[in-house]
Amino acid sequence: ANVTLCLLMFFPSGTGSNILSALQDLFWLSKSKVEKQLQIISVLQWVLTFLIMGIACTLILMYILCTDCWAIAVLYLAWLVFDWNTPKKGGRRSQWVRNWAIWRYFRDYFPIRLVKTHNLLTTRNYIFGYHPHGIMGLGAFCNFSTEATGVSQKFPGIRPYLATLAGNFRMPILRDYLMSGGICPVNRDSIDYILSKNGSGNAIIIVVGGAAESLNCTPGKNSVTLRNRKGFVKLALRHGADLVPVYSFGENEVYKQVIFEEGSWGRWVQKKFQKHIGFAPCIFHGRGLFSSNSWGLLPYSKPITTVVGEPITIPKIDNPSQKEVDFYHSVYVDSLIKLFDKYKSKFGLPETEVLEVN
């Protein structure tokens, strides 16, 4: 499995079929079985990255400091200090990493699709509001931090930046891995830089519901945390960046979660973590590594279809009033609901399904 993962990561998507053929010959397996195993490996590496890579790399770096190889750790720490502000200045994306073959197998595991509904002008900047969060935002990552679903072909001239917790960029190695995919911190400094000092044609993808929304995601439920989330609208007004509603059908279907009721001790603990650390610990499970009938950390292979809606033209207002923020926020909410209603039946939901906006 380790050899397979290395092959997948260090070869571009164009060589994916060659890898598949080589493994098929080596292990005498059918093409479909080899493809399925590659898909599982690709998703597993991302789940482990999401859950433990930051902590693991930090512990390894501390360990190296206590060994005869301490100079390597010192050199990296010196580089870290020198490079500390790079995530706030657009990061350091790598088209090579974004085109790794592993992401194509990641896409096909579910599968994940990206649907374009309107053209985006390269003379404008954009803030995409991504909904819902799900447990890990798998659709957001695959569609906007890799080229697996062809985001650059669908939106030529647009540079996507997926925004995530700033704390991730304090973790050694993990920060560089995230930046290579075009991921940036979801803080004001980073967003201000991209929207004001990085030219035009930038699209920042913000998972608006954040940790609070992840606490309520469960299969069969379509709800978003949005009523009181207005900061992204204010940022759009300050920079004159158009707002684009994005809804991912199926994002909530890939994991099952224990939902704690409001007022319970479990929800109290989750909210404390969310307030002080920035994320909320969820009790969830997917399928097992070797069987879809067992419990494990792998997500269920349910289709995720991400629909990018029509951009909302936003004027540039240096100091927008609360009334102006509220107005454009209401326009955005209406646009998101219309997007959901227009496409829900096409992606497996009944016509009677209603998007719950909290």
Side-chain angles (χ1 to χ4, degrees):
N2 291 334
V3 173
T4 305
L5 179 58
C6 289
L7 286 171
L8 283 169
M9 291 179 70
F10 290 105
F11 285 92
S13 57
T15 62
S17 59
N18 296 333
I19 297 170
L20 180 62
S21 299
L23 291 173
Q24 187 178 344
D25 293 339
L26 181 62
F27 297 111
W28 303 286
L29 297 173
S30 67
K31 181 178 179 181
S32 61
K33 288 183 178 179
V34 173
E35 280 192 333
K36 190 60 182 176
Q37 293 305 312
L38 293 176
Q39 291 168 11
I40 289 173
I41 291 169
S42 67
V43 174
L44 178 62
Q45 71 84 26
W46 172 245
V47 171
L48 295 178
T49 296
F50 183 89
L51 295 176
I52 66 172
M53 183 177 179
I55 294 173
C57 289
T58 302
L59 293 175
I60 291 171
L61 191 67
M62 292 172 62
Y63 170 77
I64 293 174
L65 279 170
C66 300
T67 69
D68 293 338
C69 298
W70 60 268
I72 296 174
V74 169
L75 285 173
Y76 180 80
L77 288 172
W79 159 253
L80 196 62
V81 172
F82 175 78
D83 195 56
W84 190 254
N85 288 323
T86 298
K88 299 178 183 178
K89 296 181 179 180
R92 188 169 46 247
R93 75 174 56 216
S94 166
Q95 286 303 116
W96 175 63
V97 174
R98 287 175 61 89
N99 281 286
W100 276 349
I102 194 171
W103 307 132
R104 180 165 60 84
Y105 290 105
F106 182 98
R107 172 201 67 197
D108 292 342
Y109 173 86
F110 297 92
I112 296 173
R113 289 178 55 208
L114 179 65
V115 176
K116 170 186 175 180
T117 63
H118 291 79
N119 292 325
L120 299 181
L121 299 175
T122 58
T123 55
R124 300 285 293 173
N125 284 325
Y126 301 91
I127 293 180
F128 287 17
Y130 184 92
H131 314 269
H133 183 286
I135 295 293
M136 297 185 185
L138 294 164
F141 169 76
C142 184
N143 284 308
F144 301 113
S145 294
T146 81
E147 295 296 331
T149 56
V151 63
S152 293
Q153 286 71 45
K154 288 183 170 70
F155 300 102
I158 301 298
R159 292 180 299 276
Y161 293 87
L162 178 60
T164 188
L165 290 175
N168 288 326
F169 296 90
R170 301 187 186 102
M171 301 285 190
I173 309 301
L174 175 63
R175 66 189 293 275
D176 302 288
Y177 190 33
L178 295 178
M179 282 194 292
S180 67
I183 301 177
C184 68
V186 62
N187 58 32
R188 181 168 172 175
D189 288 344
S190 177
I191 294 172
D192 282 347
Y193 182 91
I194 293 170
L195 295 180
S196 64
K197 298 179 181 178
N198 202 42
S200 60
N202 303 292
I204 297 179
I205 298 88
I206 299 177
V207 186
V208 178
E213 190 172 86
S214 69
L215 297 178
N216 294 314
C217 69
T218 188
K221 187 174 183 179
N222 288 282
S223 66
V224 296
T225 301
L226 182 57
R227 289 291 180 198
N228 297 315
R229 299 293 176 108
K230 301 180 180 181
F232 73 107
V233 178
K234 189 172 183 179
L235 281 169
L237 285 165
R238 288 181 61 244
H239 294 284
D242 293 348
L243 289 171
V244 182
V246 179
Y247 197 84
S248 243
F249 294 90
E251 184 72 61
N252 285 346
E253 307 300 316
V254 296
Y255 279 111
K256 295 179 181 178
Q257 181 183 189
V258 176
I259 304 293
F260 293 103
E261 297 295 330
E262 290 292 338
S264 66
W265 68 269
R267 182 53 65 101
W268 179 84
V269 170
Q270 288 176 324
K271 287 188 172 181
K272 287 294 182 183
F273 266 84
Q274 178 190 337
K275 180 179 179 180
H276 297 293
I277 301 179
F279 74 92
C282 301
I283 299 178
F284 65 92
H285 74 85
R287 53 156 289 184
L289 181 60
F290 302 106
S291 171
S292 59
N293 296 320
S294 61
W295 287 15
L297 289 176
L298 278 177
Y300 294 105
S301 53
K302 303 287 186 179
I304 298 174
T305 305
T306 302
V307 184
V308 180
E310 182 177 4
I312 303 165
T313 302
I314 302 294
K316 188 177 186 305
I317 305 173
D318 290 335
N319 293 296
S321 65
Q322 190 59 50
K323 184 177 180 180
E324 290 167 327
V325 172
D326 290 343
F327 171 76
Y328 284 102
H329 180 267
S330 66
V331 172
Y332 178 86
V333 172
D334 290 343
S335 296
L336 178 64
I337 293 172
K338 288 178 182 177
L339 180 70
F340 178 84
D341 289 340
K342 182 177 180 179
Y343 289 94
K344 60 186 178 184
S345 62
K346 294 181 180 179
F347 302 119
L349 298 178
E351 283 289 349
T352 54
E353 184 72 18
V354 176
L355 179 62
E356 180 183 331
V357 181
N358 299 313

